[in-house]
Amino acid sequence: MVRTLGSLLLVGCALVGAFPAAARDATLRISTYGTSLTANGGWQAPLAEAIGTCLRQPVEITNDGLAGAASDWGVAAVDAVAATRPDIVFLEFAVNDAALNKWIGVDESVGNMRAIVAAFRRQNPDILVYLMTMNPVSGRRSWARPFRDRYEDAHRRLAEEIGARYIDHRPGWEAMGADALYLAIVDGAHPTPGSATAVIVPNVMKRLVHDGVLPCATDRDR
């Protein structure tokens, strides 16, 4: 199933440049660090396949998320993850920071995210950091997060301030339309792995190509 999804999401790779031989032979290490949308997302293996197909080199993506986690956990646990010295990290904690029962204000959330990024950069000053906004939530999941937009906007501004990158997945979900979106996120918060893969993988690939990280063209660039 992973191979089929990877083939559909990445329509070949037209190389527009070449990495040095040493870089091509090295394993690209990527950490995904966040909430259940990371921990149970199911999009990491297809993303690793798509990137590996493009780079023609080994890619290792670790799933370092935790269901129910917020950025305070992220600060407490980051040193062990950062010690693996990944080349790229994808971060997302806004959805749970915004939950009323977490008691994390916007300023505290920003401070935590700043500390998490700093920890990764201490271990690898050349790391590429991507903060991400994930899928929409609905029903009681949305009611418990009445100010979610404020957290997501604050994380976007933080990324700009500290020289990190930012990926907003919301447009990809909203483009589905209401009926398809309901089927993709039946419980109001957690997408099916197939739906998450269909939105997140091509969006991340497009951004990595745009940023010059990947030397290939994806199906969305054609």
Side-chain angles (χ1 to χ4, degrees):
M1 185 64 172
V2 167
R3 292 186 180 277
T4 301
L5 286 170
S7 300
L8 290 174
L9 292 168
L10 186 66
V11 184
C13 285
L15 297 181
V16 296
F19 289 163
R24 291 199 303 270
D25 293 339
T27 296
L28 180 69
R29 292 172 297 177
I30 299 173
S31 169
T32 59
Y33 195 46
T35 69
S36 58
L37 303 181
T38 291
N40 303 326
W43 45 268
Q44 287 90 342
L47 179 61
E49 182 180 3
I51 294 174
T53 299
C54 172
L55 291 181
R56 300 180 183 177
Q57 74 180 70
V59 177
E60 177 184 288
I61 298 185
T62 58
N63 186 339
D64 301 307
L66 178 68
S71 65
D72 53 352
W73 172 84
V75 172
V78 69
D79 286 343
V81 180
T84 65
R85 302 188 78 249
D87 302 295
I88 303 173
V89 60
F90 294 101
L91 301 170
E92 58 86 15
F93 285 105
V95 65
N96 282 350
D97 281 7
L100 295 177
N101 67 329
K102 295 296 184 181
W103 294 97
I104 297 176
V106 173
D107 290 345
E108 181 181 355
S109 175
V110 169
N112 288 343
M113 295 299 288
R114 190 188 302 274
I116 291 168
V117 172
F120 278 104
R121 285 175 167 171
R122 280 194 299 272
Q123 292 292 337
N124 179 10
D126 296 324
I127 190 171
L128 295 179
V129 178
Y130 286 87
L131 275 61
M132 300 198 299
T133 292
M134 305 299 278
N135 53 274
V137 295
S138 61
R140 63 184 180 86
R141 314 276 188 169
S142 179
W143 305 336
R145 297 166 172 84
F147 308 112
R148 181 183 174 185
D149 286 351
R150 299 182 186 180
Y151 290 79
E152 292 167 340
D153 288 344
H155 287 193
R156 174 185 54 78
R157 293 193 300 270
L158 174 65
E160 295 173 355
E161 175 190 337
I162 64 177
R165 320 311 177 74
Y166 179 77
I167 300 177
D168 188 349
H169 294 296
R170 289 173 296 184
W173 292 103
E174 292 164 358
M176 288 184 174
D179 291 343
L181 187 61
Y182 172 78
L183 294 175
I185 314 175
V186 174
D187 75 349
H190 304 96
T192 64
S195 297
T197 295
V199 172
I200 293 172
V201 171
N203 202 26
V204 169
M205 291 295 293
K206 181 179 180 180
R207 181 57 192 269
L208 292 175
V209 170
H210 177 270
D211 289 348
V213 178
L214 298 181
C216 59
T218 68
D219 54 344
R220 289 192 175 186
D221 297 317
R222 295 179 186 280

